Amino acid sequence: MSKSKINHYEMLASMKQNERIEDALKMLKLTGMLATYNTLAQFANKENYTFHDYIESLLEKEILLKEDNRIQQWIQQAKLPYIKTLNDFDFLFQPSIKERDIKELESCRFIEEKHNVLFLGPPGVGKTHLAIAIGMEAIKKGYETKFMPLDILISKVQKAHKDEELQMHRLYKQLLNPKLLILDEMDFYDTDQTVSNFLFSLLIQRYEHSSTIFTSNNHYSEWGNLFNSKTRAGAIIDRIAQYSKIIYIKGKSYRLEYNLKKIQKILA
Ligand code: ADP
Ligand code: MG
């Protein structure tokens, strides 16, 4: 045994037992166990836990914390613009949406089946909210997710194209690899050949391999101008629609209603 190891063990031996336990837990990066082992030991003593019960509870704490950390990290990587959940969604306000359809999407079976989802409808009716909420569920269930508004994607492609080939490749991988991609606001933008090639190739490659949620104020049949060619547009749109759950949202803008109520309150 090397001198430094002997010193290390001698030092450990001189510590109190709690310090030794804490050192070991820190070294093994078991921060959930570190935070709970002492109080849980007292509780276990009081509640007559068996040794196995205690170890099992301690491991549960560690797993919960690690899972929580993973979810937080994946939410950050997904670049969700804000956090929205299905619990925050008022289905009574938007009766054109069948709650059962959304519950089905919440199960993320569509990701296993490599299907797409289209949320179509006017501004303010909750398309982005629902897409984010389903993205959150996907992350919790372990599907890597990425959120990208189409206008941001377009400017990123244009910037990457100007910079260098490598940047373009990196961006492409970022959008190709996630099990779930949320392309928000598929609306009208002037796209040059580089952008439409990128978009076409990305969607063709994702088709049948992974899932995409699209939100749009326009019907998907009107997305053609994004691809700079009628044939390409037809080919990609047919494929998208073939394996898609399409949810049409009709009705009032929640945003508008909310703002109106705020103004009425101020005036009252
Ligand atoms: P869209 O993407 O259709 O334009 P958003 O999803 O951005 O609309 O919704 C606008 C705002 O209204 C968001 O803050 C969203 O959380 C909220 N919102 C929309 N519909 C509902 C709803 N039915 N229940 C609760 N909040 C809603
Ligand atoms: Mg939106």
Side-chain angles (χ1 to χ4, degrees), residues 100-220:
R100 184 147 49 92
D101 285 348
I102 306 300
K103 286 258 155 71
E104 173 57 36
L105 296 175
E106 190 185 4
S107 77
C108 293
R109 248 187 300 269
F110 75 98
I111 303 179
E112 280 302 311
E113 291 163 354
K114 300 171 177 63
H115 286 180
N116 300 318
V117 180
L118 269 63
F119 287 114
L120 306 176
V125 292
K127 303 183 297 296
T128 303
H129 182 137
L130 290 171
I132 291 173
I134 293 163
M136 293 273 294
E137 287 304 317
I139 289 173
K140 280 188 202 156
K141 290 187 167 66
Y143 299 104
E144 194 191 336
T145 296
K146 179 96 186 160
F147 180 97
M148 180 78 67
L150 185 64
D151 61 338
I152 305 273
L153 185 149
I154 291 173
S155 61
K156 274 183 186 276
V157 173
Q158 284 164 342
K159 186 172 180 302
H161 180 62
K162 261 191 230 146
D163 288 353
E164 49 175 316
E165 193 72 10
L166 189 68
Q167 294 286 49
M168 197 75 155
H169 184 68
R170 232 178 249 157
L171 178 64
Y172 193 75
K173 285 259 165 194
Q174 271 176 24
L175 298 169
L176 184 64
N177 289 343
K179 290 275 181 204
L180 176 64
L181 173 67
I182 301 172
L183 270 185
D184 196 35
E185 300 188 9
M186 289 285 288
D187 295 314
F188 299 123
Y189 296 101
D190 272 336
T191 54
D192 55 25
Q193 202 58 44
T194 312
V195 171
S196 64
N197 285 351
F198 184 96
L199 208 53
F200 181 78
S201 161
L202 176 70
L203 296 182
I204 283 283
Q205 285 232 34
R206 287 191 64 85
Y207 165 72
E208 283 193 342
H209 293 291
S210 36
S211 300
T212 307
I213 298 182
F214 300 89
T215 81
S216 182
N217 296 323
N218 303 292
H219 192 265
Y220 59 87

Side-chain angles (χ1 to χ4, degrees), residues 82 84 88-91 93-94 121-130 184-185 215 217 249 254-255:
Y82 43 79
K84 288 282 171 184
D88 308 326
F89 197 79
D90 180 359
F91 285 93
F93 183 86
Q94 213 55 267
V125 292
K127 303 183 297 296
T128 303
H129 182 137
L130 290 171
D184 196 35
E185 300 188 9
T215 81
N217 296 323
I249 313 179
Y254 190 92
R255 198 189 285 126

Side-chain angles (χ1 to χ4, degrees), residues 18 22 35-49 54 57-58:
N18 271 15
E22 285 167 23
T36 50
Y37 84 97
N38 219 357
T39 41
L40 195 63
Q42 286 160 14
F43 184 75
N45 198 20
K46 211 171 88 194
E47 298 293 320
N48 285 323
Y49 274 28
Y54 175 66
S57 311
L58 210 50

